[in-house]
Amino acid sequence: MRITNQEIARIFQQIADLLEIQGENPFKVRSYRRSAESLRGLPEEASQLYARGELAQVPGIGASLAAKIEELLTTGRLEYYESLKAQVPAGLVEMLAIPDVGPKTVARLYAELGIETLEQLEEAAREHRIRPLKGMGPKSEENILRGIALYRRRQGRVPYGEAWPQAQALLEALQPQPAVHRISLAGSLRRARETIGDLDLLVATEAPRQVIEAFTALPPVREVLAAGDTKASVLLQSDLQADLRAVAPESFGAALQYFTGSQSHNIALRDLAHDQGLKINEYGVFRIDTEECIASATEEEVYAAVGLPWIPPVLREDRGEIQAAAQGRLPTLIERPDLRGDLHVHSHWSDGTASILEMARAAQAQGLEYLLLADHSRALSVAHGLDADRVRAQREEVAAVNAALPGFRVLHGIEVDILSDGSLDLPADLLAELDLVVASIHGGLRQSREQITRRTIAAIESGVVHIIAHPTGRLLGQREPFEIDLEAVWEAAVRHGVALEINAHPLRLDLTDLACRAAKERGVRLVISTDAHRPEEFAYLEYGVRVAQRGWLEAADVLNTRPADELLALLKP
DNA sequence: GCCGTTTTCGGCCCGACTGTTTTCAGTCG
């Protein structure tokens, strides 16, 4: 029996939805939401906290929720949850995902029209059976139908790497507008969450109407969902929603803080402000008694007004950053220029598109000093993986490239497959001849947690492997991570000095931000690599750095911030 | 349901937009 924090969080989230539909006390609902967030951000499994009797010390979890977690951990189910589910049809919860359809509406549709499913809701809207309800009208029916269509077209969120370029394009299109003083990303995009629900932009302007008109007329805009005096929402051709807020230049900092979130960070911050007799909204920080505004122009001022240093957006998840800021313990986050090399690069020797020289030149152009060539091994025949002979032949080309590219260094390595039985795809003596060896799992993904964990640890213990690549194998929106006991992997990695990769490919981002943070606390060595198959993909390093930052990593926590010789001495003593 | 050197009870972040109203409830972030 194993229940993860994510699963508990999901159940609490569901309970919150169910209670909300039932019209329960909103603060009780919020407690469940807050505890779910708290659980998602936990660097440790709840089962371990439970074993130490420390569950109720987690912020937002008191006696009642601790008891519910205990019930889940020990019995695998939660009676309270089961009984709620028995009272509320499952379809009602799904209906909450439709924009503009909230718990009150869902409850009334059920009580007054007997609507229990998305299909029934759609039918009722088509047949104009919703407009007779008080507070409803033709527009409501229209919105519901449009919302359902959108929900079906695009379920869920898109990867950061897909959203970011689109947001950047909007930003660049609006920047030259004369009415735009300043413009910035906000929301989860500015915090660099791994997936993004919609694009948030913030503009400082004295002519908001003008900016909003320009925004809603941009070419990528397919449909205008709402447009007022201070904000507009549009649907892009890509089906992503983009929201723009326009604020006066003097309150840009307060608005940027406000709209960057996260929601739970802001709630915690306002709580702190409240204790000091202050109130924070998107216009500034105000004294509650006199209404005097004491900060608004910059984010630094806003944080300073409540006695804190500026907190980087990537940390604003209410995962201890406010306490850390108050105690002067915020990390000095790693930045992209700190990286000196890329430790996972492919060439056309396997499934890359470019020559070793082309990849090396591209890496150098990105300001890197070295790369580790890590083409696939023979088991990955679809990728034209290398056998022993081709590895040796490749060595000569690596030497030639190094001779041709002064000031840059290509390290010769390989991405060797960890086979289903835990052995490596190439002989140990051959691997030992290489500069560094990256190992990873590409097959046998459906094996049990025990098997996959054992395979990974076998590679770590092999004595010839230096880096484990994409340790969980997940592909965002396409493939769940495979079952693996990361705690056990970290323990073995620390013992053998093997590094784990933060794979910067926008669909992988593997390890995750949370895993980075937990791994760091356990003393695990980490590297950031692109897994580049094409020269352009060195730009992915930026995404990897974002993950690392969200995991509270500093430059010293990441091995490839070091010069090549130092790195080699550490990994291959 | 959580939380507390002012509280174990009474608070709990805050405002904009929409669609429906004719002063507001619901939703959203």
Coordinates of all heavy atoms in Angstrom, one line a residue, chain A residues 25 27 30-31 60 62 100 102 105 135 137 140 227 230 258 270 283, chain B residues 1-3 12-21 26-29:
Chain A
N25 N -19.2 25.9 4.4 CA -18.4 27.0 4.8 C -17.1 27.2 3.9 O -16.3 26.3 3.8 CB -17.9 26.8 6.3 CG -17.0 27.9 6.8 OD1 -16.6 28.8 6.1 ND2 -16.6 27.8 8.0
F27 N -14.5 28.7 4.2 CA -13.2 28.7 4.8 C -12.7 27.2 5.1 O -11.6 26.9 5.1 CB -13.2 29.5 6.1 CG -13.4 30.9 5.9 CD1 -14.6 31.5 6.2 CD2 -12.5 31.7 5.2 CE1 -14.8 32.9 6.0 CE2 -12.7 33.0 4.9 CZ -13.9 33.6 5.3
R30 N -11.5 26.2 1.9 CA -10.2 26.7 1.7 C -9.1 25.9 2.4 O -8.0 25.7 2.0 CB -10.1 28.2 2.1 CG -8.9 28.9 1.4 CD -8.9 30.3 1.9 NE -7.9 30.5 2.9 CZ -7.7 31.6 3.6 NH1 -8.4 32.7 3.2 NH2 -6.8 31.7 4.5
S31 N -9.5 25.4 3.6 CA -8.6 24.6 4.4 C -8.1 23.3 3.6 O -7.0 23.0 3.6 CB -9.2 24.1 5.7 OG -9.5 25.2 6.5
G60 N -1.1 24.3 7.6 CA -2.4 24.1 7.0 C -3.0 22.7 7.3 O -4.1 22.4 6.9
G62 N -4.1 20.4 10.4 CA -4.3 20.4 11.9 C -4.7 18.9 12.3 O -4.5 18.0 11.5
D100 N -16.6 29.8 -16.0 CA -17.9 30.5 -15.6 C -18.9 29.6 -15.0 O -20.0 30.1 -14.6 CB -18.5 31.3 -16.8 CG -17.6 32.3 -17.4 OD1 -16.8 32.9 -16.6 OD2 -17.6 32.6 -18.6
G102 N -19.4 27.6 -11.7 CA -18.8 27.4 -10.4 C -19.7 26.5 -9.6 O -20.7 26.0 -10.1
T105 N -23.5 27.5 -9.3 CA -24.3 27.2 -10.5 C -24.5 25.7 -10.6 O -25.6 25.3 -10.9 CB -23.5 27.7 -11.7 OG1 -23.2 29.1 -11.5 CG2 -24.3 27.6 -13.0
G135 N -31.3 34.7 -12.5 CA -29.9 35.1 -12.7 C -29.2 34.5 -14.0 O -28.1 34.8 -14.3
G137 N -29.5 33.7 -18.3 CA -30.1 34.2 -19.4 C -29.5 33.6 -20.7 O -28.8 32.6 -20.6
S140 N -25.8 33.2 -20.7 CA -25.3 32.2 -19.8 C -25.2 30.9 -20.6 O -24.3 30.1 -20.5 CB -26.1 32.0 -18.6 OG -26.5 33.2 -18.0
A227 N -13.4 42.2 -22.3 CA -12.5 43.4 -22.4 C -13.2 44.5 -21.6 O -14.2 45.0 -22.0 CB -12.4 43.8 -23.9
T230 N -9.7 47.7 -17.4 CA -8.4 47.4 -16.8 C -7.9 46.0 -17.3 O -6.7 45.7 -17.0 CB -8.4 47.4 -15.3 OG1 -9.3 46.3 -14.9 CG2 -8.9 48.7 -14.8
Y258 N 1.0 41.2 -7.3 CA -0.3 40.6 -7.2 C -0.6 39.6 -8.2 O -1.1 38.5 -7.9 CB -1.3 41.8 -7.2 CG -2.7 41.4 -7.0 CD1 -3.3 41.4 -5.7 CD2 -3.5 41.0 -8.1 CE1 -4.6 41.1 -5.5 CE2 -4.9 40.6 -7.9 CZ -5.4 40.7 -6.6 OH -6.7 40.3 -6.4
R270 N -0.3 38.5 2.5 CA -1.3 39.5 3.0 C -1.6 39.2 4.5 O -1.9 40.1 5.2 CB -2.6 39.3 2.2 CG -2.4 40.0 0.9 CD -3.6 40.4 0.2 NE -3.2 40.5 -1.2 CZ -3.4 39.6 -2.1 NH1 -4.1 38.5 -1.8 NH2 -3.0 39.7 -3.3
Y283 N -3.0 47.7 -6.0 CA -2.6 49.1 -6.2 C -1.5 49.5 -5.2 O -0.9 50.6 -5.4 CB -3.8 50.0 -6.0 CG -4.9 49.7 -6.9 CD1 -6.1 49.0 -6.5 CD2 -4.8 49.9 -8.3 CE1 -7.1 48.7 -7.4 CE2 -5.8 49.6 -9.2 CZ -6.9 49.0 -8.7 OH -7.9 48.6 -9.6
Chain B
dG1 P -14.0 19.2 9.3 OP1 -13.7 18.1 8.5 OP2 -14.9 19.7 10.2 O5' -12.8 20.3 9.0 C5' -12.0 20.1 7.9 C4' -10.8 21.0 8.1 O4' -11.2 22.4 7.9 C3' -10.2 21.0 9.4 O3' -8.7 21.0 9.2 C2' -10.7 22.2 10.2 C1' -10.9 23.2 9.0 N9 -12.0 24.1 9.2 C8 -13.3 23.9 9.5 N7 -14.0 25.0 9.7 C5 -13.1 26.0 9.4 C6 -13.3 27.4 9.4 O6 -14.3 28.0 9.7 N1 -12.1 28.1 9.1 C2 -10.9 27.5 8.8 N2 -9.9 28.3 8.6 N3 -10.7 26.2 8.8 C4 -11.9 25.5 9.1
dC2 P -7.7 21.1 10.5 OP1 -6.6 20.1 10.1 OP2 -8.4 20.9 11.7 O5' -7.2 22.6 10.4 C5' -6.6 23.0 9.1 C4' -6.0 24.4 9.3 O4' -7.1 25.3 9.5 C3' -5.1 24.5 10.6 O3' -3.9 25.2 10.2 C2' -5.9 25.3 11.6 C1' -6.9 26.1 10.7 N1 -8.2 26.3 11.3 C2 -8.7 27.6 11.4 O2 -8.0 28.6 11.1 N3 -9.9 27.8 11.9 C4 -10.7 26.8 12.3 N4 -11.9 27.0 12.8 C5 -10.2 25.4 12.1 C6 -9.0 25.2 11.6
dC3 P -2.7 25.1 11.2 OP1 -1.5 25.1 10.4 OP2 -3.0 24.1 12.3 O5' -2.8 26.5 12.0 C5' -3.0 27.7 11.2 C4' -3.2 28.9 12.2 O4' -4.7 28.9 12.5 C3' -2.5 28.7 13.5 O3' -1.6 29.8 13.7 C2' -3.6 28.7 14.6 C1' -4.9 29.2 13.8 N1 -6.1 28.6 14.3 C2 -7.2 29.4 14.5 O2 -7.1 30.6 14.3 N3 -8.4 28.8 14.8 C4 -8.5 27.5 15.0 N4 -9.7 27.0 15.4 C5 -7.4 26.6 14.8 C6 -6.2 27.2 14.4
dC12 P -11.6 38.5 8.7 OP1 -10.8 39.7 8.4 OP2 -13.0 38.3 8.3 O5' -10.8 37.2 8.2 C5' -9.4 37.1 8.5 C4' -8.9 35.8 8.0 O4' -9.6 34.7 8.7 C3' -9.2 35.5 6.5 O3' -8.0 35.1 5.9 C2' -10.3 34.4 6.5 C1' -10.0 33.7 7.8 N1 -11.2 33.0 8.3 C2 -11.2 31.6 8.6 O2 -10.1 31.1 8.4 N3 -12.3 31.0 9.0 C4 -13.4 31.7 9.1 N4 -14.5 31.0 9.5 C5 -13.5 33.1 8.9 C6 -12.4 33.7 8.5
dC13 P -7.9 35.3 4.3 OP1 -9.2 35.0 3.6 OP2 -6.7 34.5 4.0 O5' -7.6 36.8 4.1 C5' -6.2 37.3 4.1 C4' -6.1 38.3 3.0 O4' -6.0 37.6 1.7 C3' -7.2 39.3 3.0 O3' -6.7 40.6 2.7 C2' -8.1 38.8 1.8 C1' -7.0 38.2 0.9 N1 -7.4 37.1 0.0 C2 -6.9 37.1 -1.3 O2 -6.2 38.0 -1.7 N3 -7.3 36.1 -2.2 C4 -8.1 35.1 -1.7 N4 -8.4 34.1 -2.5 C5 -8.6 35.1 -0.4 C6 -8.2 36.1 0.4
dC14 P -7.5 41.9 2.8 OP1 -6.6 42.9 3.3 OP2 -8.8 41.5 3.5 O5' -8.0 42.2 1.3 C5' -6.9 42.3 0.4 C4' -7.6 42.4 -1.0 O4' -7.9 41.1 -1.5 C3' -8.9 43.2 -1.0 O3' -8.7 44.3 -1.8 C2' -9.9 42.2 -1.7 C1' -9.0 41.2 -2.3 N1 -9.6 39.9 -2.5 C2 -9.4 39.2 -3.7 O2 -8.8 39.7 -4.6 N3 -10.0 37.9 -3.8 C4 -10.6 37.4 -2.8 N4 -11.1 36.2 -3.0 C5 -10.8 38.1 -1.6 C6 -10.2 39.3 -1.4
dG15 P -9.8 45.5 -1.9 OP1 -9.1 46.7 -1.5 OP2 -11.0 45.0 -1.1 O5' -10.1 45.6 -3.4 C5' -9.1 45.8 -4.3 C4' -9.5 45.1 -5.6 O4' -9.8 43.8 -5.5 C3' -10.7 45.8 -6.3 O3' -10.3 46.2 -7.6 C2' -11.7 44.6 -6.4 C1' -10.8 43.4 -6.3 N9 -11.5 42.2 -5.8 C8 -12.1 42.1 -4.6 N7 -12.6 40.9 -4.4 C5 -12.3 40.2 -5.5 C6 -12.6 38.9 -5.9 O6 -13.2 38.0 -5.3 N1 -12.1 38.6 -7.2 C2 -11.4 39.5 -8.0 N2 -11.0 39.0 -9.2 N3 -11.1 40.7 -7.6 C4 -11.6 41.0 -6.4
dA16 P -11.3 47.0 -8.5 OP1 -10.6 48.2 -9.0 OP2 -12.6 47.2 -7.9 O5' -11.5 46.0 -9.7 C5' -10.3 45.6 -10.4 C4' -10.7 44.7 -11.6 O4' -11.2 43.4 -11.1 C3' -11.8 45.3 -12.4 O3' -11.6 45.1 -13.8 C2' -13.1 44.6 -11.9 C1' -12.5 43.2 -11.5 N9 -13.2 42.7 -10.3 C8 -13.5 43.3 -9.2 N7 -14.2 42.6 -8.3 C5 -14.3 41.3 -8.9 C6 -14.8 40.1 -8.5 N6 -15.4 39.9 -7.3 N1 -14.8 39.1 -9.4 C2 -14.2 39.3 -10.6 N3 -13.6 40.4 -11.1 C4 -13.7 41.4 -10.2
dC17 P -12.5 45.7 -14.9 OP1 -11.6 46.0 -16.1 OP2 -13.3 46.7 -14.3 O5' -13.4 44.4 -15.3 C5' -12.7 43.2 -15.7 C4' -13.8 42.2 -16.0 O4' -14.3 41.7 -14.7 C3' -15.0 42.7 -16.8 O3' -15.2 41.9 -17.9 C2' -16.1 42.7 -15.8 C1' -15.7 41.6 -14.8 N1 -16.2 41.7 -13.4 C2 -16.8 40.6 -12.8 O2 -16.9 39.6 -13.4 N3 -17.2 40.8 -11.5 C4 -17.1 42.0 -10.9 N4 -17.6 42.1 -9.6 C5 -16.6 43.1 -11.5 C6 -16.1 43.0 -12.8
dT18 P -16.3 42.2 -19.0 OP1 -15.7 41.9 -20.3 OP2 -16.8 43.6 -18.8 O5' -17.4 41.2 -18.6 C5' -17.1 39.9 -18.5 C4' -18.3 39.1 -18.1 O4' -18.6 39.3 -16.7 C3' -19.6 39.5 -18.9 O3' -20.1 38.4 -19.6 C2' -20.5 40.1 -17.8 C1' -20.0 39.5 -16.5 N1 -20.1 40.4 -15.3 C2 -20.6 39.9 -14.2 O2 -21.0 38.7 -14.1 N3 -20.6 40.7 -13.1 C4 -20.2 42.1 -13.1 O4 -20.3 42.7 -12.1 C5 -19.7 42.5 -14.3 C7 -19.2 44.0 -14.4 C6 -19.7 41.7 -15.4
dG19 P -21.3 38.6 -20.6 OP1 -21.1 37.5 -21.6 OP2 -21.4 40.0 -21.0 O5' -22.6 38.3 -19.7 C5' -22.6 37.1 -19.0 C4' -23.8 37.0 -18.1 O4' -23.6 37.9 -17.0 C3' -25.1 37.5 -18.8 O3' -26.2 36.7 -18.4 C2' -25.3 38.9 -18.3 C1' -24.7 38.8 -16.9 N9 -24.2 40.1 -16.3 C8 -23.6 41.2 -17.0 N7 -23.3 42.1 -16.2 C5 -23.6 41.7 -15.0 C6 -23.5 42.3 -13.7 O6 -23.0 43.4 -13.5 N1 -24.0 41.5 -12.7 C2 -24.5 40.3 -12.8 N2 -24.9 39.7 -11.7 N3 -24.7 39.7 -14.0 C4 -24.2 40.4 -15.0
dT20 P -27.5 36.7 -19.2 OP1 -27.9 35.4 -19.4 OP2 -27.4 37.7 -20.3 O5' -28.4 37.4 -18.0 C5' -28.8 36.6 -16.9 C4' -28.9 37.5 -15.7 O4' -27.8 38.4 -15.6 C3' -30.1 38.4 -15.7 O3' -31.3 37.7 -15.3 C2' -29.7 39.5 -14.7 C1' -28.2 39.5 -14.8 N1 -27.7 40.8 -15.4 C2 -27.3 41.8 -14.5 O2 -27.3 41.6 -13.3 N3 -26.8 42.9 -15.1 C4 -26.6 43.1 -16.5 O4 -26.2 44.2 -16.9 C5 -27.1 42.0 -17.3 C7 -27.0 42.2 -18.8 C6 -27.6 40.9 -16.7
dT21 P -32.6 38.6 -15.2 OP1 -33.7 37.6 -15.1 OP2 -32.6 39.6 -16.3 O5' -32.4 39.3 -13.8 C5' -32.7 40.6 -13.6 C4' -31.9 41.3 -12.5 O4' -30.6 41.5 -13.0 C3' -32.4 42.6 -12.1 O3' -33.3 42.4 -11.0 C2' -31.2 43.3 -11.6 C1' -30.1 42.8 -12.6 N1 -29.8 43.6 -13.7 C2 -29.2 44.8 -13.6 O2 -28.8 45.2 -12.5 N3 -29.0 45.6 -14.7 C4 -29.4 45.2 -16.0 O4 -29.2 45.9 -16.9 C5 -30.1 44.0 -16.1 C7 -30.6 43.5 -17.4 C6 -30.3 43.2 -15.0
dG26 P -24.8 33.4 -5.4 OP1 -25.8 32.3 -5.4 OP2 -24.0 33.8 -4.2 O5' -23.8 33.2 -6.6 C5' -24.3 33.1 -7.9 C4' -23.1 33.1 -8.8 O4' -22.5 34.4 -8.9 C3' -22.0 32.1 -8.4 O3' -21.7 31.2 -9.4 C2' -20.8 33.1 -8.1 C1' -21.1 34.3 -9.0 N9 -20.5 35.5 -8.5 C8 -20.6 36.1 -7.3 N7 -20.0 37.2 -7.2 C5 -19.5 37.5 -8.4 C6 -18.8 38.6 -9.0 O6 -18.4 39.6 -8.4 N1 -18.5 38.5 -10.3 C2 -18.9 37.4 -11.1 N2 -18.6 37.4 -12.4 N3 -19.6 36.3 -10.6 C4 -19.9 36.4 -9.3
dT27 P -20.6 30.1 -9.3 OP1 -21.1 29.0 -10.1 OP2 -20.3 29.9 -7.9 O5' -19.4 30.8 -10.0 C5' -19.5 31.3 -11.3 C4' -18.2 31.9 -11.8 O4' -18.1 33.2 -11.1 C3' -17.0 31.1 -11.4 O3' -16.3 30.8 -12.7 C2' -16.2 32.0 -10.6 C1' -16.7 33.4 -10.9 N1 -16.6 34.4 -9.8 C2 -16.0 35.6 -10.0 O2 -15.6 35.9 -11.1 N3 -16.0 36.5 -9.0 C4 -16.4 36.2 -7.7 O4 -16.3 37.1 -6.8 C5 -17.0 34.9 -7.5 C7 -17.5 34.6 -6.1 C6 -17.1 34.1 -8.5
dC28 P -15.0 29.9 -12.7 OP1 -15.0 29.2 -14.0 OP2 -15.0 29.1 -11.4 O5' -13.8 30.9 -12.6 C5' -13.8 32.0 -13.6 C4' -12.7 32.9 -13.2 O4' -13.1 33.7 -12.1 C3' -11.4 32.2 -12.8 O3' -10.5 32.4 -13.8 C2' -11.0 32.9 -11.5 C1' -12.0 34.1 -11.4 N1 -12.4 34.4 -10.0 C2 -12.2 35.7 -9.5 O2 -11.7 36.5 -10.2 N3 -12.6 36.0 -8.2 C4 -13.2 35.0 -7.5 N4 -13.6 35.3 -6.3 C5 -13.4 33.7 -8.0 C6 -13.0 33.4 -9.2
dG29 P -9.1 31.5 -13.8 OP1 -8.8 31.3 -15.2 OP2 -9.3 30.4 -12.9 O5' -8.1 32.5 -13.2 C5' -7.9 33.8 -13.7 C4' -7.1 34.7 -12.7 O4' -8.0 35.0 -11.6 C3' -5.9 34.0 -12.2 O3' -4.8 34.9 -12.2 C2' -6.3 33.6 -10.8 C1' -7.2 34.7 -10.4 N9 -8.1 34.4 -9.3 C8 -8.7 33.2 -9.0 N7 -9.4 33.3 -7.9 C5 -9.3 34.6 -7.5 C6 -9.9 35.2 -6.4 O6 -10.6 34.8 -5.5 N1 -9.5 36.6 -6.3 C2 -8.6 37.2 -7.2 N2 -8.4 38.5 -7.0 N3 -8.1 36.6 -8.2 C4 -8.5 35.3 -8.3

